[in-house]
Amino acid sequence: MSQDIELTMPADAIAALAFHPTDKDLLATAEWDSTVKLYNTSLASSESLQSTFAHRAPVLDVSFDGTGKIYSGGLDKAVRQIDPSTSSQTILGNHSAGVKCVRWSDKLNALVTASWDSTLRVWDPRQATGSATLICNLPSKAFSLDLDSRHAIVATAHRHVIIYDLASLAKGVVEPLQTRESSLKYMTRAVRLSPAGTGYATTSIEGRIAVDFLEGADNKPYAFKAHRAVIDDIDTVFPVNALTFHPIHGTFATGGGDSLVNIWDLAAKKRLRQFQRYPASISALAFNVDGSKLAIACSKIEEEGVTYGAEAKNALFVKTLGQDDCKPKSAK
């Protein structure tokens, strides 16, 4: 049976979460109070906060590399490397607008960022700081980015989905592998590649989730309604803000403006589980490396159709998952 531990009550909303790629307990947060925080989720909640790293403006995303260094980006336009062992920060360079997404790539041994300046950039921390090693133009401002061992995928404004081949990026090729139009009719909130490497899922502000497949996959794309409720006889639609795939089972979790977290079975095309309601909108989600924990950020953020009561609050939870909480029914 799953169990929640509340780690903290943040001063402001949490924009993003990232677990360490090999340490199942280390968690980093990107926060609107202009900080990155590092937690050890194996410790009691009062002792879990390990470090706080101040930035000049709200932080929108974080990512770890394999050595435990943290990378961040946000509204100050800077791309940062943070070394928790020395508490030092290094600015690798800058975008010309807010840095919406940062992801470390083991394949490239480099950092990939995507910005509201409508560019995707690759940074090599070993080189002199100040400029990216590669700049790719996007059709519009970036909203979400994900990487696996072969691809980078970016969801942008105007419902564009751009797919890059990492091997081509390593050779300096700036043209994307594919440019697609999202199958969702409204603004994309999140895009994530599946662990199997066959496709990706996207979420939108209109309470829908789409599952699409990469070239060569036999499956047909599909979309379905999610994070909706009938309130006072009215079908109420909530934005689906967050999505993360389970690293072992291939199921995925979504979080919405309805303050709920759902687990979805990709193969069965149905909801597997819904957890209890949280005290505000779900703004970010992350599974740890072995899928035994799910970090859940809930934040009081302004969203159309979402109202908060007196009990609403910004909070960070870590759910220790039961053996079957995210396992597909077909695997039981």
Side-chain angles (χ1 to χ4, degrees), residues 87-101:
S87 297
S88 62
Q89 297 188 40
T90 302
I91 295 180
L92 302 181
N94 295 273
H95 279 266
S96 58
V99 183
K100 181 61 175 68
C101 317

Side-chain angles (χ1 to χ4, degrees), residues 53 57 91 140 214 216 238-239 287:
F53 306 100
I91 295 180
S140 47
L214 299 172
F238 297 94
F287 283 110

Side-chain angles (χ1 to χ4, degrees), residues 140-155:
S140 47
K141 65 193 296 186
F143 288 159
S144 187
L145 166 70
D146 198 25
L147 276 67
D148 62 14
S149 62
R150 296 175 54 210
H151 300 103
I153 188 167
V154 191

Side-chain angles (χ1 to χ4, degrees), residues 46-124:
S46 60
E47 303 172 354
S48 61
L49 180 60
Q50 304 297 290
S51 304
T52 299
F53 306 100
H55 289 45
R56 296 194 302 261
V59 189
L60 301 181
D61 206 3
V62 288
S63 183
F64 281 97
D65 69 14
T67 70
K69 291 184 175 65
I70 302 170
Y71 298 86
S72 64
L75 294 187
D76 65 0
K77 308 175 188 176
V79 177
R80 281 181 166 83
Q81 181 193 73
I82 302 169
D83 187 343
S85 66
T86 61
S87 297
S88 62
Q89 297 188 40
T90 302
I91 295 180
L92 302 181
N94 295 273
H95 279 266
S96 58
V99 183
K100 181 61 175 68
C101 317
V102 299
R103 287 289 184 277
W104 178 260
S105 170
D106 287 332
K107 173 78 172 182
L108 300 177
N109 196 25
L111 183 72
V112 181
T113 62
S115 166
W116 289 338
D117 67 7
S118 301
T119 67
L120 177 141
R121 306 190 186 203
V122 180
W123 311 81
D124 186 346

Side-chain angles (χ1 to χ4, degrees), residues 11-239:
D12 208 334
I14 293 177
L17 301 166
F19 272 103
H20 191 285
T22 58
D23 188 320
K24 65 181 181 180
D25 297 319
L26 290 183
L27 173 70
T29 63
E31 306 197 14
W32 277 87
D33 69 354
S34 304
T35 65
V36 167
K37 294 186 176 73
L38 178 64
Y39 292 89
N40 185 333
T41 63
S42 69
L43 302 177
S45 58
S46 60
E47 303 172 354
S48 61
L49 180 60
Q50 304 297 290
S51 304
T52 299
F53 306 100
H55 289 45
R56 296 194 302 261
V59 189
L60 301 181
D61 206 3
V62 288
S63 183
F64 281 97
D65 69 14
T67 70
K69 291 184 175 65
I70 302 170
Y71 298 86
S72 64
L75 294 187
D76 65 0
K77 308 175 188 176
V79 177
R80 281 181 166 83
Q81 181 193 73
I82 302 169
D83 187 343
S85 66
T86 61
S87 297
S88 62
Q89 297 188 40
T90 302
I91 295 180
L92 302 181
N94 295 273
H95 279 266
S96 58
V99 183
K100 181 61 175 68
C101 317
V102 299
R103 287 289 184 277
W104 178 260
S105 170
D106 287 332
K107 173 78 172 182
L108 300 177
N109 196 25
L111 183 72
V112 181
T113 62
S115 166
W116 289 338
D117 67 7
S118 301
T119 67
L120 177 141
R121 306 190 186 203
V122 180
W123 311 81
D124 186 346
R126 299 166 299 180
Q127 295 190 6
T129 60
S131 61
T133 59
L134 191 68
I135 300 177
C136 305
N137 291 318
L138 300 171
S140 47
K141 65 193 296 186
F143 288 159
S144 187
L145 166 70
D146 198 25
L147 276 67
D148 62 14
S149 62
R150 296 175 54 210
H151 300 103
I153 188 167
V154 191
T156 76
H158 310 302
R159 299 173 49 239
H160 297 294
V161 177
I162 318 300
I163 302 168
Y164 291 91
D165 177 71
L166 291 184
S168 296
L169 288 180
K171 297 175 182 177
V173 177
V174 298
E175 291 79 15
L177 182 67
Q178 294 182 42
T179 298
R180 299 183 176 186
E181 183 177 82
S182 172
S183 55
L184 300 175
K185 296 180 180 179
Y186 295 87
M187 186 176 75
T188 305
R189 277 289 170 88
V191 62
R192 293 292 181 264
L193 290 157
S194 69
T198 57
Y200 60 92
T202 52
T203 70
S204 79
I205 61 170
E206 189 250 343
R208 293 179 72 87
I209 300 167
V211 177
D212 290 87
F213 296 89
L214 299 172
E215 191 172 12
D218 294 330
N219 298 28
K220 293 183 178 180
Y222 62 93
F224 57 94
K225 297 177 181 179
H227 295 276
R228 298 182 175 209
V230 177
I231 301 175
D232 296 330
D233 296 324
I234 299 173
D235 186 18
T236 305
V237 178
F238 297 94

Side-chain angles (χ1 to χ4, degrees), residues 9 259 278-281 298-301 307-315:
M9 187 181 294
S259 307
Y278 286 89
S281 289
C298 56
S299 305
K300 294 193 295 180
I301 50 183
T307 57
Y308 299 112
E311 73 285 353
K313 64 179 182 178
N314 299 314

